[in-house]
Amino acid sequence: MGAPGLRADPAGPWPATYLGRVEALAVVEGLNARLLASRSATAILEGWCAEHGMAATPRLAANLQRGADKPASEETRRRLNAGPDTLLRYRQVKLACGDHVLSEADNWYVPERLTPEMNRLLETTDTPFGRAVQALGTTRQTIGAELLWQPLPHGWDQAPPPAATCGDLAIPDHLFRHRAVLFTAERVPFAEVVETYGAAILAFHRAGRPVDPACATSPSGRPQP
C-alpha cells in the first residue's frame, strides 16, 4: 500500500496540475536533447523504451507504410547533392517499441550510395533505417528542430504559478519534430529524414507524487474549494 497523499500513476493520463505540466515538459525536453546529441535516433528510442519499462523486449520495429510516396523537395535534393536525374527513394515508417508508436519518420535516400543488402532491407523489411545503414559509419546533421507542444504558457518562468487545474493533461498526438541529413563516414550525404515524435513518449509508469491539495476530493467526492 502506498504512502498517504501519494498517487501512483500508471501509463496513461498525466495530471493537468502545475507540477504535472512541469514534469511533462522536463521529460519531453530531456529526450529532445538526447536525440539532438545522438548519431542514431533508433538507439536513443530503444534506450528510452528500456529505461522506462515500456516493452518486455525493448527493441524498435519500423512498421513500413507500404505504397506511401512523397516527392523530395528541391531543398532536399540540394542537401543530398542529388541532381534532377538522381534516383531518390521514399520510405515512411512508424517506429514502435512494443505497443507504443514512439515516432513517425519520412525518409528520402539515394539507393546508389547504399549497398544492395541495405537497399533490400529498406525496401522489403521493417528494419529501422538507422540499423539498416549503420555499417556506413553514419553521422547526422540536424537542420531543423521544432517543439510542437508547450504544456506551460509563454512566460511561465517569470509568472507566479497559476491556479490549480485538476483533471488529466491534454497531450496532443505530436510533441516535437526533427529534420536531419545523414552522412557516410566519408561525409557523403545519402539520406534526409523527418522524425515526428508522438504522445507515446510519455506513456510510461511514473512514481507516486503528492496530490495537489486543491485537487484532493472531499468526503462528498468533489474537489475541495
Side-chain angles (χ1 to χ4, degrees), residues 15-21 160-168 211-216 223-225:
T17 61
Y18 185 65
L19 175 61
R21 291 174 179 274
T165 302
C166 305
D168 298 334
V211 176
D212 188 326
C215 297
Q224 297 281 6

Side-chain angles (χ1 to χ4, degrees), residues 126-147:
D126 288 343
T127 305
F129 195 90
R131 185 176 296 131
V133 302
Q134 62 184 353
L136 296 176
T138 306
T139 59
R140 59 186 279 153
Q141 177 181 334
T142 300
I143 57 176
E146 180 184 9
L147 192 64

Side-chain angles (χ1 to χ4, degrees), residues 167-185:
D168 298 334
L169 183 59
I171 300 174
D173 291 339
H174 301 144
L175 304 181
F176 58 97
R177 179 177 294 131
H178 294 166
R179 181 183 290 268
V181 176
L182 307 184
F183 297 83
T184 67

Side-chain angles (χ1 to χ4, degrees), residues 38-152:
S38 173
R39 291 185 177 186
S40 171
T42 299
I44 294 298
L45 289 180
E46 284 189 344
W48 183 265
C49 185
E51 293 163 16
H52 292 82
M54 300 175 74
T57 302
R59 185 170 178 82
L60 211 63
N63 298 320
L64 183 61
Q65 307 301 291
R66 289 174 171 78
D69 190 27
K70 186 184 296 184
S73 68
E74 292 184 7
E75 291 80 7
T76 293
R77 285 189 170 274
R78 175 177 53 79
R79 287 189 284 264
L80 295 178
N81 293 335
D85 296 329
T86 301
L87 175 64
L88 291 185
R89 289 206 174 106
Y90 172 72
R91 190 178 196 246
Q92 184 183 63
V93 298
K94 294 185 177 182
L95 296 172
C97 192
D99 296 330
H100 302 287
V101 177
L102 302 180
S103 72
E104 301 173 7
D106 297 289
N107 193 291
W108 296 265
Y109 62 98
V110 186
E112 67 182 27
R113 298 175 190 170
L114 308 181
T115 67
E117 177 61 11
M118 291 175 185
N119 281 308
R120 185 192 69 80
L121 289 173
L122 294 174
E123 293 171 28
T124 65
T125 76
D126 288 343
T127 305
F129 195 90
R131 185 176 296 131
V133 302
Q134 62 184 353
L136 296 176
T138 306
T139 59
R140 59 186 279 153
Q141 177 181 334
T142 300
I143 57 176
E146 180 184 9
L147 192 64
L148 304 176
W149 176 55
Q150 173 56 268
L152 292 167

